[in-house]
Amino acid sequence: MTLKEMKEKTLRLIEEINPDSELLTDDPDISAKINDVINQIQFELARIKKIPAKTEIEISDDNKIFNMTDEMYQIFRIIGASSFDIIGKEVIFPEDFKGKVTIYYYKYPEVIRKDTEDTYTFKLSDDVLEIAPYGIAGDLLKSDVSNSYGNIYSQRYEQMKQELDVRYNTGFIEIGEGI
């Protein structure tokens, strides 16, 4: 899903869409804050249903410490080294270790700013992208005291978050030597 599609879906949900407008809405308050709100919601959802990634690095005599990059949220597996320490954002390998390691981690999504192109593509899973408009709608409308639509969308969003399945797979079975 692209940023433009997310905006359209959210604005249709709250009945504020104007497809003829370059900003997709005639409401200046909504158009001014929609990218910031989308960014906040995508980061929240990325901490619930994490975005898996991996990198391979070479550990040498000169390089025993791997510093997590800004995109890295959590390391969940390291293959290729039987011993290492994780302290804060550093992975420290033993002095006598050399070789290639594969680091599996969860990453943050790219930050959406006011000037982010509408062609930006989300890295979140489809089930998460389907509930995001409710969180975005709730935040966009929370300061509208004339009605309770913000609360209604926020309650629905909270309910849908609780029902999310955070797994990407359900495990696997390995059969060795037959039956």
Side-chain angles (χ1 to χ4, degrees):
M1 179 180 291
T2 65
L3 179 57
K4 182 178 182 179
E5 291 168 331
M6 180 64 74
K7 289 177 184 179
E8 289 172 340
K9 196 170 205 163
T10 302
L11 293 170
R12 274 194 307 273
L13 182 67
I14 63 175
E15 299 177 356
E16 288 288 344
I17 193 160
N18 178 354
D20 298 327
S21 169
E22 181 182 327
L23 301 174
L24 301 174
T25 183
D26 296 325
D27 188 316
D29 292 333
I30 289 175
S31 66
K33 63 185 176 181
I34 193 164
N35 278 18
D36 291 333
V37 173
I38 290 172
N39 186 63
Q40 291 167 358
I41 296 297
Q42 81 158 343
F43 267 75
E44 177 182 15
L45 291 170
R47 288 188 306 270
I48 296 169
K49 184 151 187 182
K50 299 172 174 97
I51 304 168
K54 76 175 186 173
T55 188
E56 291 183 353
I57 60 168
E58 189 73 32
I59 303 301
S60 65
D61 288 332
D62 300 333
N63 179 21
K64 297 295 181 186
I65 297 175
F66 170 74
N67 289 300
M68 292 172 57
T69 63
D70 289 340
E71 82 161 1
M72 293 178 157
Y73 173 51
Q74 291 176 331
I75 292 176
F76 66 88
R77 189 171 190 190
I78 297 177
I79 297 177
S82 59
S83 176
F84 52 85
D85 290 313
I86 299 176
I87 301 172
K89 291 198 145 259
E90 293 182 335
V91 182
I92 304 166
F93 295 92
E95 283 298 317
D96 61 344
F97 178 78
K98 285 194 297 192
K100 187 182 285 190
V101 295
T102 304
I103 299 176
Y104 292 88
Y105 62 96
Y106 297 117
K107 67 180 189 172
Y108 290 113
E110 293 175 44
V111 175
I112 295 173
R113 294 179 166 59
K114 290 183 190 303
D115 62 347
T116 299
E117 297 290 326
D118 280 346
T119 56
Y120 167 87
T121 302
F122 291 93
K123 305 295 184 267
L124 299 167
S125 60
D126 289 343
D127 56 343
V128 169
L129 292 174
E130 287 302 315
I131 71 168
Y134 289 90
I136 298 163
D139 276 3
L140 286 173
L141 300 176
K142 70 182 170 190
S143 61
D144 186 356
V145 295
S146 64
N147 59 47
S148 60
Y149 290 130
N151 286 335
I152 293 168
Y153 290 121
S154 293
Q155 288 172 4
R156 179 71 175 131
Y157 172 64
E158 291 299 323
Q159 176 189 9
M160 294 170 89
K161 280 193 317 186
Q162 295 300 317
E163 295 171 2
L164 264 178
D165 185 352
V166 297
R167 299 173 296 177
Y168 280 96
N169 60 47
T170 56
F172 59 91
I173 299 172
E174 183 177 323
I175 301 175
E177 305 193 24
I179 298 176

